[in-house]
Amino acid sequence: MAVRGKSINLFLMDGEASGRIKCTLANWTGVAYRIPRTALDLCKERNDLKQSGVYFLFGTSDQTGNNVVYIGQAGARKNGEGLLYRLQEHKRNPDKDYWTEAVVFTTSNNSFGQTEISYLENRFCGLALAANRYDIKNGINPTQGNITEEKESELEEFVDYARIVMGTLGHKVFEPLISVSAISGSAPAHSAPYHNRSGSATFSHPSAL
């Protein structure tokens, strides 16, 4: 079967590529934002960022110089706060001063509940670990929760679209590295865990192309 093209809409919210970007796809209810850490306060009036969703914090490790990512979820709260409030909490947290921009996923119809965001957080963490391209800053492995096969099929479709969007926004967190050892035919190097400043386990990747 021939691969079909995808129509992606990128809206430069600040009129420049280095600013905030809103990303949508045709026939997809998902909405993604790339938000520089310094631009969080500009998002206060966006109602869709007060919803539930999953987010990624991207940055660089001070110790290793490697690309790092933290993957989390945020549920909408009774006070009307959701994703943006959680990002602002991370901005104030000195243990998470490594990140420079966030990518968040939510929906245009506010359809995410706790079941959906727990499943997506688990799947995104698994995909990022399998790709072995970024050091994962999550201290614990998020639980997937219990879902029906119908809901799983629906969410896997969301994951497929999210992977396309993430690459479009400039982060290859889901794209596996090709190691030098794999190309040469020698035994692959194994990634080794190390500990960040807060003591939680993260994972370093082997040298790769």
Side-chain angles (χ1 to χ4, degrees), residues 129-150:
L129 282 169
N132 205 28
R133 185 179 286 271
Y134 284 65
D135 294 347
I136 313 301
K137 300 288 283 186
N138 294 60
I140 59 174
N141 186 35
T143 59
Q144 178 175 305
N146 297 317
I147 61 172
T148 65
E149 59 183 349
E150 294 86 356

Side-chain angles (χ1 to χ4, degrees), residues 13-14 20 35-46 49-50 84-85 87-89 91-92 99:
M13 299 167 64
D14 303 310
R20 296 172 297 159
I35 308 172
R37 179 174 178 149
T38 55
L40 285 181
D41 289 342
L42 300 177
C43 300
K44 291 181 178 179
E45 303 305 318
R46 301 206 66 88
L49 290 178
K50 298 178 182 179
L84 182 60
Y85 186 82
L87 294 179
Q88 290 170 330
E89 287 182 329
K91 184 179 180 180
R92 295 190 294 267
W99 68 280

Side-chain angles (χ1 to χ4, degrees), residues 97-145:
D97 60 358
Y98 55 83
W99 68 280
T100 56
E101 72 175 34
V103 172
V104 304
F105 289 94
T106 185
T107 60
S108 59
N109 57 2
N110 194 19
S111 59
F112 277 168
Q114 188 60 47
T115 298
E116 287 81 5
I117 60 177
S118 293
Y119 181 88
L120 291 174
E121 181 189 23
N122 174 273
R123 284 288 285 124
F124 288 146
C125 281
L127 289 170
L129 282 169
N132 205 28
R133 185 179 286 271
Y134 284 65
D135 294 347
I136 313 301
K137 300 288 283 186
N138 294 60
I140 59 174
N141 186 35
T143 59
Q144 178 175 305

Side-chain angles (χ1 to χ4, degrees), residues 123-202:
R123 284 288 285 124
F124 288 146
C125 281
L127 289 170
L129 282 169
N132 205 28
R133 185 179 286 271
Y134 284 65
D135 294 347
I136 313 301
K137 300 288 283 186
N138 294 60
I140 59 174
N141 186 35
T143 59
Q144 178 175 305
N146 297 317
I147 61 172
T148 65
E149 59 183 349
E150 294 86 356
K151 177 59 69 174
E152 181 178 9
S153 177
E154 176 186 329
L155 291 174
E156 282 301 316
E157 184 176 14
F158 189 96
V159 169
D160 290 341
Y161 279 111
R163 295 176 71 169
I164 295 172
V165 169
M166 185 65 82
T168 302
L169 292 176
H171 294 289
K172 298 181 179 181
V173 64
F174 299 138
E175 299 180 22
L177 281 168
I178 302 175
S179 67
V180 173
S181 59
I183 295 175
S184 63
S186 59
H190 295 286
S191 61
Y194 70 92
H195 290 79
N196 61 19
R197 285 170 291 176
S198 62
S200 59
T202 58

Side-chain angles (χ1 to χ4, degrees), residues 34-70:
R34 193 192 76 182
I35 308 172
R37 179 174 178 149
T38 55
L40 285 181
D41 289 342
L42 300 177
C43 300
K44 291 181 178 179
E45 303 305 318
R46 301 206 66 88
N47 290 329
D48 50 0
L49 290 178
K50 298 178 182 179
Q51 299 176 169
S52 299
V54 179
Y55 61 89
F56 298 72
L57 305 179
F58 290 101
T60 304
S61 170
D62 292 336
Q63 290 80 21
T64 66
N66 291 341
N67 290 327
V68 298
V69 62
Y70 176 87

